[in-house]
Amino acid sequence: MKSLTELNEIKQKVIKTSDYKILVGMATCGIAAGANPVMTELKKIIQERNLNNIDLQLTGCIGICRLEPIVEVYDSRGDRYTYVKVDAKKAADIMQKHIIEGTPCTEYLICDDSDNCIKNILETKSFKKQIRIALRNCGNINPEHIDEYIQHDGYLALGKVLSSMQPQEVIKLVLDSGLRGRGGAGFPTGLKWKFAAAAQNDQKYVCCNADEGDPGAFMDRSVLEGDPHSILEAMAIAGYAIGSNQGYIYVRAEYPIAVKRLNLAIKQAKEYGLLGNNIFGTDFSFDIELRLGAGAFVCGEETALMTSIEGKRGEPRPRPPFPANKGLFGKPTILNNVETLANIPVIINKGPEWFNKIGTEKSKGTKVFAVGGKINNTGLIEIPMGMTLREIIYDIGGGIPNGKAFKAAQTGGPSGGCIPAEHLDVPIDYDNLVAIGSMMGSGGLIVMDEDNCMVDIAQFFLGFTVDESCGKCPPCRIGTRRMLELLEKITNGKGEDGDIEKLERLAYSIKEAALCGLGQTAPNPVLSTLRYFKDEYKAHIYKKSCPSGVCKHLLNYYIQPEKCVGCSICARNCPVSAISGVVKSPYKIDNEACIKCGVCYEKCKFGAIYKK
């Protein structure tokens, strides 16, 4: 690739004229839901009927994961149709009725919250509230074709930077944009680049953190599967800005589709001269290699990640020195996560002023969230910073299933905290989340309803941290284990007076003394639940009861005589014969013999059994 003119020539060449373009969501979520048979059926029909006017392509995650497999049809007029929960039979119907006969299959189209089927995803209430920057190409292009990325302004930012900007101008532009790191702490991206650029050394590195380890998080995976070239382009821009010629993407080995598409994207970029030597005919050279992570949560911490790339056990290092001065292989290094980098090309192309208009005063732009848990519209969203949790859950997320009440939302994964209902209207940005005891984190958002026990939730996240601790520093290795033992004691009905105070003392000690950010934030789920749900802890300790009916050691099952019809199904399914009675008369449960398995509760068809 010698010039921007050559890039624009390629951009023009790839524009196709087809009567229909069909996109099939083939990210992990789509494939898991059954997209492969759908794609096979569409290919078969196109081949058998010799439909040369059809442009069939795979694409990444469209965002509405709960409705996968998804097929989107674009006609020559530019009209877009979003078909959801498609199987092979529905795919055949769509081809026959919509493509061949010209009549859309309205019964398969996406529906809004009112269950009224509408034309496409853009018209849904949830999508209208989103602004897609990092996810701009996900679900819109074939991630395995570099030409499609170029058609959507791909590598234009890199060409602009290399042809008309000095490295310090690039850094100033990123600084002026206000972009903060999307991986957790929210450190200003331009400032990180500035420090690395100022470091004097014969070699510097650019690293991408794609080691997405938070439970329920899949934002980075979706970007890598749906738009890998945006990350390569951003890393090359970062390399030019700090004076680096080598980049590394550290990606989880559990992401095979992302790894495959990244390798393909790197190969294509090298073939086009967009990676390698003398990019755009300049004296700038930059290459990228992949490094696969084995799934260690601690390798999401920047120094542990770099240690792992070096081929050593992934453990954090004391700071200072900071990576900008002494990072990978002891050389100046910048590390940005996938979402941060995905914003860079757009900021270069549209300018910092454009980006500044989105978000809040101290948190510019948008944030991608993987929304899961007790919510109707699970999936991937991108919202402007400053949107409230209420809007996310009820307008975009479609509310809580079965009419249940919202209880809390966990942001930031094991490093974050629970946001209770009283803070539903707090604008979501870096500083506000910290102020209410949580954090942005990488973008996992798990919603909980009235049936969730917050002590159990704290135990779950802390248990994850204990399992994933690298063990290097005693505060994390020993302290979190002691905290987990206290939580297990409380949920098992053996809590004692003073246990809450012990938990708090341990938590604050770990926050002060742990070596890395992951250890320092490990107590956050416990501290946030203690802050907002201390009554639940007290109920477990002093009343020996779980208000949400989750902790089985604190539960008893009872049969309501007025509802019991004497069918005996509960007694027949009880594994320890703790239920007795006579057919057609109310049965009883012996709570001394009951092992709290809940089988009777699940099997009763008349709602006669309740737990307390």
Side-chain angles (χ1 to χ4, degrees):
M1 191 71 63
K2 300 299 182 184
S3 66
L4 278 171
T5 302
E6 201 172 330
L7 187 75
N8 284 322
E9 287 174 359
I10 293 173
K11 181 175 178 177
Q12 294 305 315
K13 284 180 184 177
V14 298
I15 297 175
K16 298 179 180 178
T17 303
S18 302
D19 290 337
Y20 292 100
K21 179 176 181 178
I22 301 176
L23 291 176
V24 181
M26 296 282 283
T28 295
C29 51
I31 292 171
N36 276 325
V38 172
M39 177 64 89
T40 300
E41 182 68 17
L42 292 173
K43 285 180 179 177
K44 174 186 165 189
I45 294 171
I46 289 171
Q47 186 175 5
E48 287 177 349
R49 304 208 179 189
N50 197 27
L51 300 173
N52 297 320
N53 64 331
I54 308 299
D55 179 18
L56 175 64
Q57 300 283 351
L58 65 85
T59 190
C61 178
I62 297 165
I64 41 176
C65 305
R66 72 182 181 93
L67 298 178
E68 295 279 8
I70 297 170
V71 173
E72 294 208 286
V73 175
Y74 296 76
D75 63 24
S76 56
R77 299 185 303 273
D79 289 335
R80 177 178 179 179
Y81 299 84
T82 303
Y83 293 106
V84 297
K85 295 186 178 180
V86 180
D87 55 22
K89 180 184 179 304
K90 290 179 181 178
D93 287 347
I94 291 166
M95 289 297 292
Q96 178 63 38
K97 296 177 183 177
H98 192 158
I99 306 301
I100 296 172
E101 298 175 8
T103 304
C105 301
T106 54
E107 65 271 31
Y108 304 149
L109 286 172
I110 189 170
C111 298
D112 217 335
D113 296 339
S114 60
D115 288 334
N116 294 320
C117 286
I118 53 182
K119 196 173 184 180
N120 61 55
I121 187 175
L122 299 178
E123 297 178 7
T124 61
K125 180 181 178 182
S126 63
F127 209 85
K128 286 178 180 178
K129 288 222 166 197
Q130 298 184 47
I131 299 176
R132 293 199 150 206
I133 300 176
L135 300 179
R136 63 194 177 278
N137 291 326
C138 293
N140 294 319
I141 67 170
N142 185 336
E144 297 186 0
H145 289 177
I146 188 173
D147 288 351
E148 289 225 356
Y149 180 66
I150 291 173
Q151 185 180 349
H152 288 76
D153 294 332
Y155 292 104
L156 186 65
L158 178 60
K160 177 182 177 180
V161 161
L162 296 184
S163 63
S164 63
M165 298 178 72
Q166 294 298 313
Q168 61 269 26
E169 292 178 296
V170 179
I171 292 172
K172 184 178 185 305
L173 188 149
V174 176
L175 274 168
D176 290 345
S177 73
L179 176 65
R180 296 173 65 172
R182 299 304 197 240
F187 191 81
T189 304
L191 197 56
K192 184 180 286 189
W193 291 16
K194 183 179 178 180
F195 291 153
Q200 299 299 312
N201 208 291
D202 60 337
Q203 178 66 57
K204 298 179 183 180
Y205 295 104
V206 174
C207 292
C208 171
N209 182 356
D211 188 63
E212 191 170 45
D214 290 5
F218 51 92
M219 305 76 57
D220 293 349
R221 185 195 73 201
S222 297
V223 173
L224 295 176
E225 291 177 350
D227 193 17
H229 283 284
S230 66
I231 306 307
L232 307 188
E233 181 178 13
M235 290 179 70
I237 291 169
Y240 175 72
I242 72 165
S244 167
N245 63 1
Q246 181 64 51
Y248 291 94
I249 301 175
Y250 189 86
V251 59
R252 299 176 74 81
E254 296 99 320
Y255 286 177
I257 298 170
V259 171
K260 173 194 168 187
R261 291 178 185 170
L262 277 171
N263 276 320
L264 181 59
I266 290 171
K267 179 175 179 286
Q268 292 172 345
K270 287 180 177 180
E271 289 172 352
Y272 272 51
L274 295 165
L275 285 179
N277 296 325
N278 306 115
I279 301 172
F280 281 108
T282 68
D283 60 0
F284 174 66
S285 300
F286 191 78
D287 205 354
I288 295 175
E289 296 180 24
L290 297 191
R291 291 291 184 270
L292 303 188
F297 179 65
V298 72
C299 286
E301 196 276 337
E302 60 179 2
T303 61
L305 182 152
M306 293 174 198
T307 305
S308 183
I309 290 178
E310 293 169 358
K312 304 169 188 172
R313 177 186 173 97
E315 292 180 336
R317 305 167 182 163
R319 297 180 300 176
F322 291 95
N325 292 307
K326 188 177 180 181
L328 185 63
F329 301 114
K331 305 293 185 179
T333 306
I334 57 169
L335 175 70
N336 296 119
N337 90 317
V338 169
E339 186 187 341
T340 309
L341 290 168
N343 281 277
I344 296 295
V346 192
I347 291 172
I348 299 291
N349 285 332
K350 295 192 176 184
E353 297 82 8
W354 169 83
F355 193 77
N356 261 303
K357 291 178 182 177
I358 304 168
T360 64
E361 183 181 353
K362 294 183 179 180
S363 299
K364 305 296 184 183
T366 59
K367 183 71 190 78
V368 179
F369 286 101
V371 183
K374 305 287 188 67
I375 193 163
N376 284 313
N377 298 336
T378 55
L380 205 64
I381 68 171
E382 185 170 1
I383 54 107
M385 293 279 195
M387 181 177 284
T388 66
L389 189 61
R390 185 184 301 276
E391 290 176 279
I392 294 173
I393 291 172
Y394 292 99
D395 293 344
I396 296 178
I400 314 297
N402 304 315
K404 297 281 187 176
F406 168 79
K407 189 170 190 177
Q410 174 85 8
T411 63
S415 299
C418 291
I419 306 171
E422 66 192 77
H423 290 310
L424 269 172
D425 294 310
V426 171
I428 300 298
D429 64 19
Y430 289 99
D431 302 308
N432 283 334
L433 286 182
V434 171
I436 60 176
S438 188
M439 65 182 294
M440 187 75 72
S442 57
L445 196 157
I446 300 176
V447 180
M448 291 158 271
D449 69 10
E450 61 192 78
D451 293 335
N452 285 105
C453 168
M454 302 313 294
V455 186
D456 178 67
I457 291 293
Q459 181 176 315
F460 166 78
F461 281 110
L462 195 63
F464 176 87
T465 305
V466 168
D467 287 343
E468 293 291 338
S469 173
C470 74
K472 185 172 183 177
C473 74
C476 180
R477 182 182 71 246
I478 302 171
T480 56
R481 170 65 66 182
R482 297 291 86 81
M483 287 184 70
L484 181 60
E485 289 170 354
L486 279 169
L487 288 174
E488 289 171 345
K489 175 184 169 187
I490 291 169
T491 55
N492 286 340
K494 298 176 182 177
E496 300 174 300
D497 188 29
D499 283 347
I500 291 175
E501 291 73 20
K502 287 179 186 176
L503 276 172
E504 290 176 332
R505 284 198 301 272
L506 275 168
Y508 288 115
S509 296
I510 295 167
K511 287 180 74 68
E512 289 292 326
L515 174 62
C516 77
L518 296 183
Q520 292 159 12
T521 55
N524 282 353
V526 177
L527 288 174
S528 66
T529 50
L530 278 172
R531 179 176 178 178
Y532 297 113
F533 301 98
K534 188 171 282 189
D535 286 347
E536 290 197 27
Y537 282 85
K538 290 180 177 178
H540 283 68
I541 294 169
Y542 300 111
K543 296 180 181 179
K544 306 302 178 188
S545 69
C546 175
S548 301
V550 171
C551 301
K552 70 176 187 177
H553 293 286
L554 298 174
L555 289 181
N556 282 317
Y557 288 85
Y558 301 92
I559 295 176
Q560 301 176 75
E562 66 276 13
K563 289 187 177 181
C564 181
V565 298
C567 68
S568 81
I569 192 170
C570 58
R572 285 184 278 120
N573 282 278
C574 179
V576 292
S577 301
I579 304 175
S580 59
V582 179
V583 175
K584 294 186 180 181
S585 297
Y587 277 66
K588 291 183 179 180
I589 298 174
D590 179 359
N591 277 300
E592 291 296 322
C594 177
I595 60 171
K596 332 287 191 196
C597 66
V599 171
C600 60
Y601 181 81
E602 295 170 3
K603 294 290 184 180
C604 182
K605 299 177 182 179
F606 304 97
I609 299 177
Y610 68 98
K611 51 187 177 179
K612 183 178 178 182

